[in-house]
């Protein structure tokens, strides 16, 4: 954490910029209060980059619009029903929200927006004390009614009011606690955590869209594993992502096997390290797949007479469970499809180290992965958590070899765009078929032929197709 003097200096420099100076002067001239609030103030004290400029005011949304319209390059009111007006002023994007407090009536799944009248009241109804600080403008006076500075120093997350009241106002704040713990590296104070455990079931009243949005933010933090642990330990995960706590399989003296829950969190952490090492931005699809890749194990767990444990087909079962859960959380179709496909494919590599694959097997691996290939590379490498250094080195070397072969074959054959040597029109003409399922069947035969044997030439492909069709 930066010194108070350094943080105040950063805030002064930020608020002295032409866009904010202009904005604060206009609000003062109109007789309204304006304060920089929440994240920007917190991050200034933490020495983190200040990204989003959020302001709060006693002006209503209509009054905000009236003030910003003459000075804005553009403005929008998509959040107007929640009291928020967005604008771009001298190239700087800002959001300005009327003092408010959100509360559930216990009957609906969306909070009722209530506008407030003073800054201190607005701040004490916010989620956590470290987010409940504001800088009054243009005076540049720090307002911290809930002791946010002390909690920043202690690296602690605490609600400004009693946690039972705060979480009662908006149960999603319990998930937000896990997200901020992961994002900031802070711990949740005991009273706040106990309230999360006692009130976990109230998360059910929050809409799936809001839950998935918060889960997405958590998964894209630097250390999502810490937040996932808090969701599991508090009981929240049992309501929003029950497949994860289910990974904590009972381990007895007769059936020793890897702790699947701890393994999954390790895979997630290793995938994030590889993601960065290979030059990628935080990837929600990859991270969800890493966390959920083994969710099929509880349903497929079997113990034989010797005490050995098996999880046959947990990849296929896990893929279905993953798709079902992400659909329930209202994730988009593309994300659901990509994550569930990665879960289905995550075991394909194992066995490669036991014996070299044929070129056709490598081609199929690439074809099945499609545009998920790079993510599958990372997930498969991250899935190696063995403490046996010799085994880990063997698997790493084997995957290095597989990636090398994929690259060589790709250069020679453009694997990503492999197609049969005859298209649908040519197939219909040769076999005298009309459009229908039979054409697709013939196309798949030719694609398998292409993957197994490479390019054969038009004449040979036509001969093989006619022969296959005659004997099918």
């Amino acid at each position: 954490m930066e010194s108070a003097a350094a943080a105040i200096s950063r805030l002064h420099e930020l608020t002295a910029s032409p866009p904010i100076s202009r904005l604060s002067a206009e609000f003062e001239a109109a007789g309204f209060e304006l304060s920089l609030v929440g994240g920007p103030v917190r991050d200034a004290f933490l020495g983190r980059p200040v990204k989003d400029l959020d302001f709060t005011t006693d002006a209503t949304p209509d009054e905000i619009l009236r003030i910003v319209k003459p000075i804005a390059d553009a403005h929008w009111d998509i959040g107007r029903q929640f009291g928020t007006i967005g604008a771009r002023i001298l190239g700087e994007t800002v959001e300005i929200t009327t003092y408010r407090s959100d509360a559930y009536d216990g009957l609906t799944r969306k909070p009722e927006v209530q506008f407030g009248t003073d800054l201190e009241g607005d701040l004490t109804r916010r989620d956590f004390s470290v987010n409940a600080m504001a800088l009054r403008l243009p005076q540049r006076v720090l307002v911290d009614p809930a002791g946010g500075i002390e909690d920043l120093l202690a690296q602690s997350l605490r609600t400004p009011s009693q946690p039972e009241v705060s979480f009662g106002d908006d149960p999603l704040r319990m998930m937000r606690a896990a997200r901020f713990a992961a994002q900031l590296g802070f711990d949740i104070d005991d009273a706040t955590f106990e309230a999360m455990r006692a009130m976990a079931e109230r998360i059910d009243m929050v809409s799936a869209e809001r839950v998935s949005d918060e889960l997405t933010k958590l998964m894209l933090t630097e250390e999502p594993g810490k937040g996932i642990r808090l969701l599991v330990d508090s009981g929240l995960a049992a309501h929003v992502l029950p497949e994860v706590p289910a990974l904590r399989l009972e381990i007895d003296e007769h059936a020793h096997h890897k702790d699947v829950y701890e393994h999954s969190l390790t895979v997630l952490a290793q995938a994030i390290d590889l993601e960065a090492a290979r030059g990628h931005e935080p990837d929600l699809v990859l991270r969800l797949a890493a966390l959920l890749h083994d969710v099929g194990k509880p349903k497929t767990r079997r113990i034989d007479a010797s005490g050995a444990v098996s999880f046959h087909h947990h990849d296929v079962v896990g893929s279905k469970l993953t798709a079902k859960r992400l659909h329930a959380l209202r994730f988009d179709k593309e994300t659901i499809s990509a994550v569930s496909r990665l879960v289905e494919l995550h075991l394909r590599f194992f066995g490669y180290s036991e014996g070299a694959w044929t070129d056709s097997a490598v081609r199929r691996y690439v074809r099945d992965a499609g545009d998920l290939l790079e993510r599958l590379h990372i997930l498969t490498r991250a899935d190696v958590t063995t403490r046996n250094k010799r085994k880990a080195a063997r698997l790493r070397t084997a995957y290095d070899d597989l990636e090398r072969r994929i690259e060589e074959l790709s250069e020679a054959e453009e694997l990503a765009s492999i197609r049969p040597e005859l298209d649908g029109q040519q197939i219909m003409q040769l076999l005298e078929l009309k459009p229908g399922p039979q054409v697709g069947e013939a196309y798949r035969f030719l694609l398998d032929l292409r993957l197994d044997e490479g390019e054969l030439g038009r004449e040979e492909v036509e001969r093989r197709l006619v022969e296959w069709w005659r004997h099918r």
Side-chain angles (χ1 to χ4, degrees):
M1 177 172 165
E2 290 198 357
S3 68
I8 293 296
S9 176
R10 288 187 71 197
L11 287 169
H12 279 202
E13 182 179 344
L14 176 65
T15 55
S17 66
I20 298 180
S21 294
R22 180 74 184 276
L23 183 67
S24 61
E26 293 294 334
F27 270 80
E28 183 180 43
F32 293 106
E33 299 176 358
L34 184 73
S35 299
L36 184 68
V37 68
V41 180
R42 177 200 69 214
D43 290 340
F45 280 93
L46 291 175
R48 295 165 59 93
V50 175
K51 297 178 180 178
D52 302 321
L53 294 179
D54 298 323
F55 297 86
T56 189
T57 179
D58 57 343
T60 66
D62 287 342
E63 291 165 336
I64 296 172
L65 273 173
R66 190 165 61 245
I67 295 170
V68 302
K69 274 184 178 181
I71 63 172
D73 308 321
H75 61 83
W76 50 95
D77 60 359
I78 193 170
R80 188 171 186 163
Q81 68 184 102
F82 300 106
T84 300
I85 302 297
R88 188 170 63 248
I89 300 172
L90 299 178
E92 189 76 73
T93 299
V94 300
E95 285 194 350
I96 309 160
T97 302
T98 305
Y99 297 152
R100 75 184 197 199
S101 61
D102 297 346
Y104 276 84
D105 59 14
L107 301 174
T108 63
R109 303 189 76 194
K110 293 185 178 180
E112 177 186 350
V113 176
Q114 300 172 345
F115 294 144
T117 58
D118 65 278
L119 176 59
E120 285 75 6
D122 176 89
L123 294 176
T124 55
R125 295 298 295 271
R126 288 178 177 256
D127 52 10
F128 302 102
S129 61
V130 296
N131 297 329
M133 298 181 290
L135 191 71
R136 285 190 185 273
L137 301 174
Q139 302 90 341
R140 297 177 185 161
V141 174
L142 183 66
V143 182
D144 180 19
I149 294 294
E150 288 81 357
D151 286 341
L152 283 177
L153 289 169
Q155 296 190 334
S156 175
L157 287 171
R158 178 180 57 84
T159 56
S161 58
Q162 290 296 317
E164 295 80 7
V165 174
S166 181
F167 297 153
D169 285 345
D170 186 354
L172 188 67
R173 289 173 175 173
M174 295 185 288
M175 285 192 67
R176 204 172 291 152
R179 189 245 296 183
F180 281 122
Q183 179 180 318
L184 303 176
F186 286 11
D187 294 323
I188 300 175
D189 87 323
D190 292 342
T192 302
F193 183 73
E194 287 305 315
M196 289 168 63
R197 292 181 60 181
M199 301 176 70
E201 65 180 15
R202 295 204 63 178
I203 197 66
D204 291 337
M205 71 193 314
V206 180
S207 68
E209 291 80 2
R210 295 186 72 215
V211 168
S212 64
D213 182 62
E214 195 57 50
L215 180 61
T216 295
K217 291 176 180 177
L218 165 59
M219 293 301 295
L220 293 176
T221 62
E222 292 183 6
E223 193 182 345
K226 180 173 184 176
I228 296 297
R229 287 185 188 279
L230 286 167
L231 292 181
V232 171
D233 294 344
S234 65
L236 283 162
H239 295 270
V240 301
L241 206 61
E243 293 78 10
V244 173
L247 293 172
R248 295 185 296 186
L249 301 177
E250 179 182 351
I251 302 176
D252 58 57
E253 61 181 343
H254 304 295
H256 295 293
H257 60 81
K258 201 177 296 183
D259 184 326
V260 184
Y261 172 65
E262 291 297 333
H263 164 74
S264 297
L265 292 179
T266 300
V267 171
L268 173 59
Q270 292 186 166
I272 290 171
D273 289 341
L274 286 168
E275 179 187 76
R278 293 170 77 115
H280 302 302
E281 293 295 315
D283 183 349
L284 177 64
V285 167
L286 172 65
R287 294 179 179 204
L288 285 172
L291 176 65
L292 302 174
H293 75 284
D294 274 346
V295 295
K297 282 190 171 180
K299 284 187 175 293
T300 58
R301 181 177 184 234
R302 299 290 183 271
I303 304 175
D304 66 20
S306 68
V309 180
S310 65
F311 304 97
H312 295 308
H313 306 302
H314 77 267
D315 47 346
V316 177
V317 173
S319 176
K320 294 177 180 178
L321 290 173
T322 295
K324 184 177 180 180
R325 176 54 51 196
L326 296 183
H327 178 75
L329 288 170
R330 302 292 191 272
F331 278 92
D332 61 271
K333 291 181 180 179
E334 291 76 13
T335 298
I336 296 173
S337 175
V339 176
S340 58
R341 183 61 171 158
L342 282 172
V343 172
E344 182 182 358
L345 293 173
H346 82 274
L347 289 181
R348 290 288 178 92
F349 162 74
F350 293 98
Y352 182 90
S353 60
E354 305 301 328
W357 284 359
T358 62
D359 284 353
S360 68
V362 175
R363 292 188 192 103
R364 288 177 186 278
Y365 189 79
V366 174
R367 183 194 68 174
D368 290 347
D371 59 6
L372 297 174
L373 183 61
E374 173 65 5
R375 286 163 165 154
L376 183 59
H377 287 334
I378 295 174
L379 176 60
T380 304
R381 288 180 178 277
D383 198 19
V384 178
T385 62
T386 179
R387 295 181 181 177
N388 184 321
K389 293 183 178 180
R390 181 175 297 179
K391 181 180 179 181
R394 176 168 53 82
L395 290 170
R396 184 168 57 250
T397 300
Y399 209 89
D400 287 343
D401 182 64
L402 176 58
E403 285 204 58
R404 177 189 57 76
R405 290 183 64 196
I406 289 173
E407 185 175 353
E408 290 175 353
L409 284 171
S410 294
E411 290 176 356
E413 306 179 10
E414 297 183 356
L415 280 182
S417 58
I418 277 185
R419 298 288 185 273
E421 292 180 67
L422 300 179
D423 61 24
Q425 198 66 38
Q426 292 166 327
I427 291 171
M428 288 189 289
Q429 184 177 358
L430 181 65
L431 300 181
E432 298 180 351
L433 295 176
K434 294 181 179 180
Q438 292 176 322
V439 180
E441 189 179 348
Y443 186 91
R444 286 190 292 275
F445 165 76
L446 291 180
L447 180 57
D448 286 340
L449 187 65
R450 174 77 173 81
L451 289 167
D452 289 339
E453 302 185 35
E455 294 187 33
L456 298 175
R458 174 74 175 266
E459 183 177 339
E460 176 64 10
V461 166
E462 288 182 349
R463 186 189 70 78
R464 299 277 283 272
L465 177 61
V466 170
E467 182 180 356
W468 168 81
W469 180 252
R470 188 164 51 242
H471 295 95
R472 76 184 255 282

